[in-house]
Amino acid sequence: MIRNSASEMAAKLAAGETTSVALTQAHLDRITAVDADIHAFLYVDTEGALAQAAAVDAKRAKGEKLSPLAGVPLALKDVMAQKGVPTTCGSKILEGWRPPYDSTVVANLKKNDVVILGKTNMDEFAMGSSTENSAYGPTHNPWDLTRIPGGSGGGSSAALAAFEAPLAIGTDTGGSIRQPAAVTGTVGVKPTYGGVSRFGLVAFSSSLDQAGPCARTVLDTALLHEAIAGHDPKDATSINAPVPQVVAAAKSGDVKGMKIGVVKELNGDGYQPGVRARFEESLELLAKAGAEIVEVSAPNFEYALAAYYLIAPSECSSNLARFDAMRYGLRVGDVDGASAESVMNLTREVGFGKEVKRRIILGTYALSSGYYDAYYGSAQKVRTLITQDFTKAFEKADVLVSPTCPTTAFKIGEKANDPLAMYLNDIATIPVNMAGIGGMSLPSGLADEDGLPVGFQIMSPVMKDERMYSVGAALEAALLSKWGAPLLDKAPVLGGAR
Amino acid sequence: MTLSYDDVIAKYEPVLGLEVHVELNTNSKMFCGCSTVFGAEPNTQTCPVCLALPGALPVVNEKAIESTIKIGLALNCSIAPFSRFARKNYFYPDMPKNFQISQYDEPICVDGYVDVEIETDEGPKTFRVEVERVHMEEDTGKSLHVGGATGRIHGAEYSLLDYNRAGIPLVEIVTKIVPGTGKYAPEVAKAYVAELRDILRALGVSDVKMEQGSLRCDANVSLRLIGAEKLGTRSETKNVNSLRSVERAVRGEMIRHAELLNAGGRVVQETRHFQEDTGLTRSGRSKEQAEDYRYFPEPDLVPVAPDAAWIEELRATLPERPSIRRKRLQEAWAVPDKEMAAMINADVLDIVEATVLLGSDPTKARSWWLGEISRIANDKNVAIADLTITPQDVAEIVALVNAGELTDKLARQVVEGVIAGEGKPSEVVAKRGIKVVNDDGALMAAIEKVCAEQAETAEKVRNGHLPAAGALIGAVMKETKGQADAARVRELLLGHLGQAN
Amino acid sequence: MSSLSRDDVAKLAGLARIEMSEEELVNLSNEFTVILDAVARVQEVAGADVEPTSHPLPLRNVFRADVVVPSLTPEEALSGAPAQEEQRFRVPQILGEE
Ligand SMILES: [Mg+2]
Ligand SMILES: [Zn+2]
């Protein structure tokens, strides 16, 4: 049952073939069985999830009209505030904090009766590409436990790939939904910026952060997308327009006559051979399905990484200032005679990990007087140039595509001491966040050299999210008929049982 | 030895700069829906947004923007077609986000002015105070320092924080430097803040209560030798919380600077705190090492770009400028300058006008509010506006006196009753059984009784010694429990004693 | 070549309110030499005539009506407080301004 897609689970629930309590319990059992090895979850809300499941079952028994995903379980990235449930953002500084409020995403999930199993592991405050920066230890990739599951949302992607949950919520500031999806053989979507409310998403970089849906199929991702998206008056940057029709697009999967633009700059040197091979193969399948493949150029993308590593740290240096030991979270050094200032200093020393401190200091520098124009200001200009590149490219193509990341999953610890090498993981995902457009990663097969999943990235213009779902669904269908079975069937068996 | 003010101005020219923070009187806070009501129990008006809980986001209060635009228009500013919020980053426990959402290089309103009139040796003179900018920001929480001797921050063992005030919309009004005021600098500073207060009150955008902190003034003062071009080093005196203190703070700082300079010392650029008891300032934080606030555009908010139609709509709601209104009322009511000044000082202009509009004649309205009612407010140590008596009540009382149904003396009892919460004037009259004795028969009976009791005095009056009548009239009034019309009593009494004219 | 000295890092750590050991200061200073070189590339293309983008969407004038909505209860507001007293957040002595 747990290997079904979310939509299959939903169909069984609707047909009365199972109950949400049974389905939830099956996932809780799976978590018990395998999560010691995977460490996808930071907190499992057994009681809360079962209570929510029982409530959905009761509604269904009464014949109430329910949403398409009612009763299906989900794993929530620990960066989302959920009332009464520990929310740590993978950081020591928030250990034990239980928000007195729900994020809008959580409120929407509850409204749709999606059952929340618990909170998933992540790089501290979403800063990282491997989930190794979690203060609570790394998450392991279900394909190879010695490898990273991507990051920052490695807990969510690993939970999907390990069949601990059929749905998950991620957040994507520079690729934190798409890169974990790519390296675990799952699907992840970063919606258009402003398409999903950020209220209750603990901010890393406000102008880049976007919450989005993660699942094992394109359709499931679309169903979750529609459940969480929409205008939110509590988020001033939320778009006040109808949600793109992503479910319809995922169901039709029609790409006939669509122009698909291959971004020249996001494929080539530095991309692993197996990654490039799978990418080329996917392009052929899309062409066969009736799409026209064109090449586009985005000359300023080569500056995206540099601009990102100025903008995101700058915003985070300000966003993370609130973690100061005064109102919530960790407090260190509150001894007789200590000052508030020394307690702040000591708490932030102990409470933040190395990467977080590195970025706060970098951001503090980039914003400081005398350097603002050279760093933050220039980065904002690069952002304009990248957006212009996208605008021009979208004049030639309906969607743009690239490999999601240059490599497959690397070994835990392999890049831990080389921040620049780590940052390169996000080279193909970052431009999407800079321009606020939509991006999807879906599995395109395994790299020949290491047998690990490869991700295919589709990018769509602002509020045209449905386009990436059309293309994603078409490619998924073509690959599925080629493979004969879902890619995850090739993953090793965990915990001795399927 | 303290330098005299005359010595200071003989040698130096003061240059002013004034920053006024105004709490807007919106119902809800600047970026969240929490109430702004003053004086609530601690931390009962807080939410994830104003406590800066992780994940919370600000959304701008539209009324606050409208109020700010109105202020800008009233201060003759241009309204920026595009403005943005910025984050001002610094750590302080009363500021939950450890940044203040403020405005930096793109304020909503720029380049305005306020004309203020003061009395000079050569008569009334107008000074123009130029306004550099009017921008929006948010207030901080309040800290209570525990363990120190005075409740002050120094020597405190720890502090207790209440965030009810955190996030209340603040408007900051910053002047350009104000040179050329010469010896009148303290008066100009005071008059500017007073004029600003009147403008803001007329706009209805703030409670402008300096004592409650809804209007706070920082006064920047520097001195330069007369004739010199280069500006001197300024000090910034914070949170001066009454009009009188504005004047005292400026004068005090001028003297302090001059003493330093005369002694060959230099003025330190720093913030100073005004002390109400001594009228002096004491040193706060030194600004020699400027804080690096790392301003950048607030990414959680989008720009404010008011279109011309919106601005014109707001302009149409602007009330009459207070200085113009004062002139108009003074003429209409034919009030001498001194009386007008007294009304302005006592802050009763609005209430007198309201009373006049309800039919009272200006002189009577003025004398009630400025006299009896002011006295009661003083005794109770409350503001006139906080008394229960309304312009309607006063207009009604004036009408009753005019109709002869109340004497002035009785009217005072009615005023007392209304203020004591006994109801509207008619209710007080009914409840207390107050009425003028109009029955001549009853009055004559009392007069005859009094004249019999005080035969000697009555005889004096009968012999033409009129001043003696006062005692008899008083006795009659007493006999009739004050409910008689004294004029009528006098008439009847004199007639009775053969002195009618 | 851009770089940050140990003292520069110490000053930034002070601004950012993070205590740092001598070792950390030195390490970060070394790392920043490499990182700043990489990020300084933005200056190559950021010409004067390019408008900066601080927000990905061209939204304007997003407001909320001036309406009071219920606040948290004081218990909820203080639920995460490391220390509290008299329904207020208790914090160590504040040095500096009032
Ligand atoms: Mg200010
Ligand atoms: Zn609030």
Side-chain angles (χ1 to χ4, degrees):
Chain A
M1 183 157 64
I2 58 171
R3 297 185 71 90
N4 286 148
S5 69
S7 37
E8 286 162 349
M9 291 178 195
K12 285 182 181 168
L13 286 169
E17 287 169 35
T18 188
T19 63
S20 180
V21 167
L23 191 60
T24 302
Q25 188 59 56
H27 284 94
L28 291 169
D29 291 346
R30 175 70 174 175
I31 293 169
T32 308
V34 304
D35 208 51
D37 290 339
I38 305 294
H39 193 226
F41 283 86
L42 291 177
Y43 181 82
V44 180
D45 186 16
T46 305
E47 238 171 79
L50 288 172
Q52 219 192 331
V56 191
D57 287 340
K59 282 190 196 175
R60 201 183 299 277
K62 274 194 279 177
E64 280 183 36
K65 190 173 160 22
L66 297 172
S67 82
L69 290 174
V72 179
L74 169 142
L76 184 65
K77 190 177 178 182
D78 203 27
V79 73
M80 277 293 172
Q82 182 182 354
K83 189 171 179 175
V85 173
T87 299
T88 69
C89 301
S91 180
K92 277 271 178 274
I93 212 160
L94 271 181
E95 191 164 13
W97 181 62
R98 291 174 187 254
Y101 79 105
D102 273 334
S103 54
T104 298
V105 164
V106 166
N108 286 343
L109 290 171
K110 287 181 176 173
K111 206 167 62 194
N112 282 282
D113 290 310
V114 176
V115 175
I116 304 173
L117 293 169
K119 308 298 283 290
T120 56
N121 201 10
M122 56 186 283
D123 284 299
E124 186 176 4
F125 288 109
M127 298 180 202
S129 313
S130 67
T131 313
E132 294 167 286
N133 294 334
S134 167
Y136 303 98
T139 296
H140 301 266
N141 191 324
W143 288 83
D144 176 349
L145 297 180
T146 68
R147 290 176 188 268
I148 59 106
S152 63
S156 284
S157 66
L160 294 171
F163 298 96
E164 293 173 282
L167 298 170
I169 295 295
T171 60
D172 191 313
T173 305
S176 288
I177 286 176
R178 290 161 289 156
Q179 181 257 9
V183 300
T184 55
T186 58
V187 183
V189 165
K190 177 219 160 303
T192 293
Y193 183 91
V196 175
S197 170
R198 289 187 298 116
F199 186 79
L201 187 184
V202 181
F204 160 21
S205 178
S206 312
S207 74
L208 300 165
D209 293 343
Q210 186 58 205
C214 308
R216 290 188 291 258
T217 71
V218 173
L219 176 60
D220 288 359
T221 313
L223 288 165
L224 184 54
H225 188 136
E226 286 195 7
I228 59 172
H231 178 242
D232 180 11
K234 290 180 188 161
D235 175 359
T237 63
S238 156
I239 295 175
N240 193 355
V243 176
Q245 298 288 297
V246 297
V247 171
K251 282 181 175 161
S252 87
D254 186 5
V255 291
K256 276 194 198 73
M258 268 182 103
K259 279 190 181 167
I260 294 177
V262 177
V263 183
K264 197 171 76 181
E265 288 79 5
L266 298 182
N267 187 17
D269 285 351
Y271 286 75
Q272 195 177 313
V275 168
R276 296 176 66 175
R278 293 291 83 82
F279 180 65
E280 296 303 331
E281 196 175 282
S282 296
L283 291 179
E284 279 166 34
L285 291 174
L286 285 169
K288 242 183 246 168
E292 183 190 342
I293 312 292
V294 298
E295 190 183 73
V296 298
S297 174
N300 294 295
F301 280 17
E302 66 168 302
Y303 302 100
L305 198 63
Y308 176 84
Y309 279 97
L310 287 167
I311 293 169
S314 295
E315 292 183 6
C316 98
S317 72
S318 176
N319 283 330
L320 269 57
R322 67 188 59 196
F323 302 102
D324 65 356
M326 298 295 113
R327 291 160 300 283
Y328 44 78
L330 186 69
R331 180 180 284 186
V332 175
D334 190 3
V335 294
D336 252 8
S339 69
E341 183 174 346
S342 76
V343 167
M344 286 182 189
N345 283 324
L346 292 169
T347 302
R348 289 163 66 82
E349 177 187 30
V350 173
F352 289 143
K354 199 171 171 188
E355 181 64 21
V356 171
K357 288 184 203 168
R358 187 184 279 136
R359 296 202 197 183
I360 289 176
I361 298 294
L362 178 57
T364 304
Y365 176 64
L367 289 176
S368 57
S369 66
Y371 299 97
Y372 181 96
D373 289 340
Y375 290 105
Y376 189 73
S378 296
Q380 301 280 49
K381 289 181 173 183
V382 168
R383 197 166 182 175
T384 306
L385 296 173
I386 289 168
T387 305
Q388 287 169 356
D389 279 359
F390 271 120
T391 306
K392 278 180 210 145
F394 281 125
E395 281 163 12
K396 291 190 187 155
D398 300 303
V399 295
L400 305 178
V401 296
S402 77
T404 309
C405 15
T407 69
T408 56
F410 50 87
K411 294 262 189 195
I412 291 173
E414 190 181 325
K415 299 184 182 180
N417 291 316
D418 187 350
L420 281 188
M422 186 70 90
Y423 297 168
L424 277 173
N425 269 293
D426 303 326
I427 194 148
T429 47
I430 278 173
V432 167
N433 302 78
M434 300 291 267
I437 64 169
M440 168 189 282
S441 177
L442 77 158
S444 60
L446 304 178
D448 295 329
E449 57 272 25
D450 54 22
L452 291 168
V454 172
F456 184 86
Q457 176 174 239
I458 309 163
M459 299 164 266
S460 53
V462 166
M463 285 308 263
K464 303 280 186 224
D465 300 31
E466 70 282 358
R467 289 188 195 168
M468 59 189 171
Y469 281 95
S470 298
V471 176
L475 179 58
E476 183 185 52
L479 286 166
L480 192 60
S481 65
K482 186 177 162 201
W483 299 330
L487 189 66
L488 275 167
D489 281 5
K490 296 202 175 82
V493 176
L494 292 166
R498 287 217 154 163
Chain B
M1 195 197 77
T2 309
L3 211 55
S4 81
Y5 188 69
D6 286 342
D7 292 340
V8 176
I9 53 165
K11 186 167 175 189
Y12 299 104
E13 192 215 347
V15 177
L16 286 174
L18 297 157
E19 282 174 36
V20 170
H21 284 92
V22 188
E23 268 185 9
L24 298 181
N25 60 0
T26 51
N27 296 319
S28 64
K29 291 185 178 179
M30 183 66 215
F31 300 115
C32 64
C34 289
S35 167
T36 58
V37 170
F38 183 78
E41 288 296 305
N43 294 304
T44 52
Q45 292 169 179
T46 66
C47 73
V49 177
C50 56
L51 285 174
L53 296 189
L57 295 173
V59 184
V60 174
N61 183 335
E62 181 164 28
K63 173 96 180 294
I65 297 290
E66 292 191 343
S67 296
T68 308
I69 294 175
K70 283 192 200 173
I71 293 171
L73 292 171
L75 303 184
N76 307 295
C77 290
S78 330
I79 309 305
F82 179 94
S83 76
R84 265 195 298 196
F85 288 95
R87 291 187 184 178
K88 180 180 183 182
N89 294 286
Y90 64 101
F91 284 80
Y92 209 75
D94 65 9
M95 194 173 58
K97 297 185 290 290
N98 286 317
F99 59 79
Q100 184 191 35
I101 303 180
S102 180
Q103 295 194 293
Y104 181 48
D105 50 357
E106 296 162 301
I108 298 187
C109 321
V110 293
D111 290 336
Y113 62 87
V114 176
D115 285 334
V116 298
E117 196 182 274
I118 60 162
E119 267 317 305
T120 69
D121 298 342
E122 298 85 41
K125 189 176 169 197
T126 299
F127 288 87
R128 174 157 292 189
V129 177
E130 291 188 300
V131 172
E132 181 174 301
R133 58 189 282 152
V134 176
H135 76 243
M136 291 238 57
E137 54 186 41
E138 54 177 336
D139 214 339
T140 58
K142 263 192 165 157
S143 30
L144 195 72
H145 306 298
V146 183
T150 56
R152 286 235 315 266
I153 194 161
H154 299 288
E157 283 159 27
Y158 59 92
S159 298
L160 297 177
L161 290 164
D162 168 14
Y163 292 106
N164 281 350
R165 198 183 65 180
I168 289 186
L170 276 187
V171 164
E172 184 174 334
I173 301 163
V174 184
T175 67
K176 295 181 183 169
I177 57 162
V178 190
T181 54
K183 69 171 178 178
Y184 299 109
E187 284 89 351
V188 170
K190 178 189 172 186
Y192 166 73
V193 177
E195 181 68 17
L196 206 54
R197 186 195 58 174
D198 290 350
I199 292 172
L200 295 167
R201 181 184 294 134
L203 287 171
V205 296
S206 170
D207 299 339
V208 289
K209 289 185 181 157
M210 289 189 88
E211 67 287 357
Q212 280 184 10
S214 57
L215 189 151
R216 316 197 275 265
C217 175
D218 302 344
N220 295 341
V221 175
S222 69
L223 295 185
R224 59 183 170 193
L225 285 172
I226 288 175
E229 213 160 285
K230 190 166 175 280
L231 292 172
T233 306
R234 68 169 194 275
S235 63
E236 190 179 337
T237 304
K238 284 274 180 204
N239 295 336
V240 188
N241 58 9
S242 72
L243 287 179
R244 183 167 160 262
S245 301
V246 172
E247 189 176 344
R248 287 169 84 206
V250 170
R251 193 183 309 270
E253 279 298 279
M254 283 169 63
I255 295 172
R256 192 182 66 82
H257 285 206
E259 283 174 347
L260 276 169
L261 296 171
N262 281 358
R266 63 184 196 101
V267 176
V268 179
Q269 187 173 337
E270 62 181 354
T271 53
R272 300 190 63 88
H273 299 286
F274 183 73
Q275 291 167 298
E276 222 32 81
D277 45 352
T278 58
L280 300 174
T281 63
R282 72 183 157 73
S283 177
R285 173 181 40 172
S286 162
K287 285 223 172 148
E288 299 279 283
Q289 259 197 328
E291 274 251 31
D292 191 343
Y293 292 123
R294 288 158 286 135
Y295 284 100
F296 72 104
E298 166 56 276
D300 287 329
L301 296 173
V302 304
V304 177
D307 58 21
W310 190 20
I311 294 170
E312 288 319 308
E313 203 178 292
L314 292 171
R315 196 192 301 276
T317 69
L318 294 188
E320 187 180 16
R321 194 171 296 278
S323 54
I324 293 174
R325 169 168 170 254
R326 282 197 296 269
K327 288 214 174 74
R328 175 176 59 78
L329 292 179
Q330 188 174 1
E331 254 167 54
W333 299 346
V335 192
D337 286 355
K338 214 173 143 195
E339 286 277 304
M340 195 67 193
M343 272 195 284
I344 291 164
N345 257 339
D347 226 356
V348 296
L349 212 54
D350 290 353
I351 223 157
V352 169
E353 188 188 21
T355 311
V356 172
L357 288 173
L358 288 162
S360 165
D361 74 87
T363 314
K364 290 219 169 105
R366 193 171 84 230
S367 96
W368 277 114
W369 288 108
L370 211 47
E372 184 69 7
I373 300 173
S374 280
R375 190 187 55 74
I376 296 174
N378 258 339
D379 288 351
K380 290 179 180 277
N381 205 9
V382 296
I384 289 175
D386 294 336
L387 294 174
T388 47
I389 193 162
T390 63
Q392 268 100 334
D393 297 334
V394 174
E396 194 181 330
I397 290 165
V398 170
L400 288 171
V401 173
N402 286 345
E405 288 179 38
L406 287 179
T407 62
D408 278 354
K409 191 165 175 201
L410 290 176
R412 270 203 283 279
Q413 290 179 32
V414 177
V415 164
E416 255 173 49
V418 171
I419 291 174
E422 291 166 29
K424 300 267 107 196
S426 54
E427 291 168 333
V428 175
V429 166
K431 273 189 211 154
R432 292 196 175 188
I434 297 171
K435 62 170 188 298
V436 175
V437 177
N438 278 324
D439 176 354
D440 283 0
L443 287 181
M444 276 316 293
I447 287 167
E448 278 164 18
K449 185 171 174 238
V450 166
C451 288
E453 281 166 7
Q454 304 190 32
E456 224 169 282
T457 314
E459 197 49 33
K460 280 186 189 168
V461 176
R462 212 185 295 274
N463 292 334
H465 185 61
L466 291 186
L472 298 174
I473 294 168
V476 173
M477 291 305 287
K478 202 168 175 191
E479 190 69 22
T480 54
K481 300 195 178 80
Q483 298 186 350
D485 178 351
R488 182 68 186 145
V489 170
R490 182 180 177 85
E491 206 175 314
L492 290 173
L493 177 84
L494 294 182
H496 177 65
L497 298 175
Q499 296 297 322
N501 40 1
Chain C
M1 184 163 134
S2 341
S3 69
L4 279 179
S5 70
R6 176 241 169 247
D7 288 356
D8 293 334
V9 177
K11 194 177 150 239
L12 293 168
L15 271 177
R17 289 276 192 280
I18 303 176
E19 192 72 37
M20 275 192 190
S21 66
E22 192 54 38
E23 189 195 343
E24 239 177 324
L25 291 174
V26 172
N27 283 347
L28 269 181
S29 148
N30 291 336
E31 280 177 19
F32 275 128
T33 307
V34 183
I35 294 174
L36 285 180
D37 251 7
V39 297
R41 287 202 63 204
V42 293
Q43 294 156 22
E44 292 171 17
V45 282
D49 55 335
V50 181
E51 273 294 307
T53 297
S54 60
H55 201 271
L57 303 172
L59 297 174
R60 298 278 184 277
N61 297 336
V62 176
F63 304 122
R64 39 172 277 275
D66 181 28
V67 174
V68 173
V69 299
S71 295
L72 292 173
T73 64
E75 292 72 33
E76 287 172 322
L78 288 148
S79 62
Q84 54 177 295
E85 198 174 300
E86 294 172 10
Q87 207 167 294
R88 294 174 170 93
F89 294 84
R90 183 181 160 151
V91 305
Q93 55 174 324
I94 302 167
L95 301 180
E97 292 261 15
E98 49 207 86

